[in-house]
C-alpha cells in the first residue's frame, strides 16, 4: 500500500552536466525573460550566501517547521545536486543552520533552496555554498516527519520536479524543464548578447529610443503641448 505523504524515491533523472554548466554564466533575468517570465520563484526567496547556483533539483517536502526529511536528503543527494525544500513558506522555525549546511559542503552539493526559514545567518552568508531562503529565525525545527523526497514540490509559487534545472543569482531563482533547456538556453544567450550590444550603444550615445513614441502612439496616448490646468 502506498504511503502517500511519507515516501522517499531514490532515483532522479539528472540533466547532462555540460547542459547545466552552460546556464551558469547567463543571468537569471535573461533566462526568465526567455521563458515569458514564467517559472521564477517568488521574490521572498532570496540569496543568503555570496555564490550563485546551477544544478539538478533534488526535491524535499515536509510539514511546516520539520526537517527530518532534509536530514535524509543531505545523506542521499549527489555532488552538484541542489536540494529544493518545500517548507510551505513557514518562518516560525528554522529548517536548517550551520551544522547541516556544513554537511552539504562536505557532500559537495550544488546548493540549497529553502521555502522557509534558516538560522545562523552570520555564518551561512559567508559559506562557499549557494543558499537561498525565505527568511531567518533563531527558533529551531522539529524532527518528526512526515514528508517526501524526490516528488514534485511547490516552492516560491512554482512547481519543481525532481531533475529540473535550478539556476539562481542575486536576482533570484528560475526553474528550467530539462526537455526544453536547449531552446531556452539559446534564447537566453541571444538576449544576453543583445543586451550587451544595447549597453554599448547607451554608453556610446547611439541608443535609439524612438520605439517609445511609436508604442505610445499605437496605444493612443494623448500628448498635450501645454501646462496642466
Amino acid at each position: 500500500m502506498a504511503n502517500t505523504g511519507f515516501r522517499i524515491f531514490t532515483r532522479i533523472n539528472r540533466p547532462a552536466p555540460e547542459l547545466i554548466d552552460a546556464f551558469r554564466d547567463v543571468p537569471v533575468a535573461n533566462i526568465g525573460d526567455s521563458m515569458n517570465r514564467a517559472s521564477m520563484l517568488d521574490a521572498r526567496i532570496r540569496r543568503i550566501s555570496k555564490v550563485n547556483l546551477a544544478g539538478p533539483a533534488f526535491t524535499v517536502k515536509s510539514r511546516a517547521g520539520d526537517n527530518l526529511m532534509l536530514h535524509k536528503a543531505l545523506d542521499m543527494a549527489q555532488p552538484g545536486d541542489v536540494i529544493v525544500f518545500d517548507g510551505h513558506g513557514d518562518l516560525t522555525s528554522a529548517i536548517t543552520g550551520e551544522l547541516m549546511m556544513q554537511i552539504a559542503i562536505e557532500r559537495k552539493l550544488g546548493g540549497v533552496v529553502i521555502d522557509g526559514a534558516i538560522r545562523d545567518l552570520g555564518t551561512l552568508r559567508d559559506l562557499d555554498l549557494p543558499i537561498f531562503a525565505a527568511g531567518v529565525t533563531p527558533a529551531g525545527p522539529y524532527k518528526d516527519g512526515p514528508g517526501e523526497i524526490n516528488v514534485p514540490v511547490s516552492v516560491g509559487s512554482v512547481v519543481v520536479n525532481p531533475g529540473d534545472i535550478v539556476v539562481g543569482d542575486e536576482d533570484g531563482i528560475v526553474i528550467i524543464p530539462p526537455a526544453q533547456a536547449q531552446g531556452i538556453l539559446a534564447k537566453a544567450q541571444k538576449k544576453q548578447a543583445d543586451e550587451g550590444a544595447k549597453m554599448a550603444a547607451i554608453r556610446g550615445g547611439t541608443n535609439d529610443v524612438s520605439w517609445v513614441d511609436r508604442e505610445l502612439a499605437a496605444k493612443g496616448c494623448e500628448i498635450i503641448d501645454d501646462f496642466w490646468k
Side-chain angles (χ1 to χ4, degrees), residues 113-178:
V113 179
I114 304 291
D115 193 351
I118 55 94
R119 64 180 178 181
D120 302 326
L121 176 63
T123 300
L124 265 54
R125 62 187 172 195
D126 291 327
L127 293 181
D128 190 23
L129 172 74
I131 302 171
F132 288 71
V136 181
T137 180
Y142 299 96
K143 297 176 174 59
D144 301 316
E148 296 184 296
I149 293 177
N150 288 326
V151 299
V153 298
S154 177
V155 173
S157 303
V158 174
V159 174
V160 184
N161 295 296
D164 281 352
I165 299 174
V166 186
V167 183
D169 61 20
E170 62 268 26
D171 283 342
I173 292 176
V174 64
I175 306 299
I176 304 164

Side-chain angles (χ1 to χ4, degrees), residues 2-227:
N3 194 14
T4 301
F6 208 2
R7 302 178 297 175
I8 294 173
F9 291 87
T10 61
R11 300 182 182 183
I12 65 174
N13 291 315
R14 294 174 175 84
E18 56 270 21
L19 176 59
I20 294 173
D21 288 342
F23 282 99
R24 292 187 186 276
D25 295 326
V26 183
V28 164
N30 289 156
I31 300 171
D33 284 354
S34 300
M35 299 174 67
N36 292 301
R37 299 177 177 87
S39 297
M40 290 180 286
L41 271 56
D42 287 343
R44 59 186 175 78
I45 299 181
R46 307 301 304 159
R47 192 178 70 176
I48 300 298
S49 58
K50 299 178 180 178
V51 285
N52 297 336
L53 67 78
F58 191 99
T59 60
V60 186
K61 66 189 303 185
S62 180
R63 70 180 182 90
D66 193 287
N67 74 354
L68 176 62
M69 299 305 269
L70 180 57
H71 280 277
K72 181 59 177 177
L74 286 172
D75 185 56
M76 292 175 57
Q78 296 184 10
D81 286 350
V82 175
I83 291 181
V84 179
F85 186 92
D86 177 1
H88 308 282
D90 178 72
L91 302 180
T92 59
S93 298
I95 294 301
T96 189
E98 178 181 1
L99 296 177
M100 294 178 73
M101 293 300 90
Q102 189 59 47
I103 294 173
I105 291 173
E106 297 302 316
R107 297 280 297 180
K108 296 181 171 56
L109 299 190
V112 178
V113 179
I114 304 291
D115 193 351
I118 55 94
R119 64 180 178 181
D120 302 326
L121 176 63
T123 300
L124 265 54
R125 62 187 172 195
D126 291 327
L127 293 181
D128 190 23
L129 172 74
I131 302 171
F132 288 71
V136 181
T137 180
Y142 299 96
K143 297 176 174 59
D144 301 316
E148 296 184 296
I149 293 177
N150 288 326
V151 299
V153 298
S154 177
V155 173
S157 303
V158 174
V159 174
V160 184
N161 295 296
D164 281 352
I165 299 174
V166 186
V167 183
D169 61 20
E170 62 268 26
D171 283 342
I173 292 176
V174 64
I175 306 299
I176 304 164
Q180 303 166 32
Q182 290 285 5
I184 293 168
L185 176 63
K187 290 176 65 176
Q189 289 175 329
K190 182 180 184 302
K191 182 171 181 60
Q192 187 176 11
D194 290 346
E195 288 192 354
K198 182 173 289 187
M199 180 61 74
I202 292 171
R203 289 172 174 166
T206 60
N207 187 45
D208 181 9
V209 296
S210 60
W211 67 270
V212 176
D213 286 338
R214 290 196 298 271
E215 192 70 15
L216 290 172
K219 294 180 182 300
C221 179
E222 183 181 11
I223 298 177
I224 303 168
D225 187 20
D226 199 355
F227 297 103

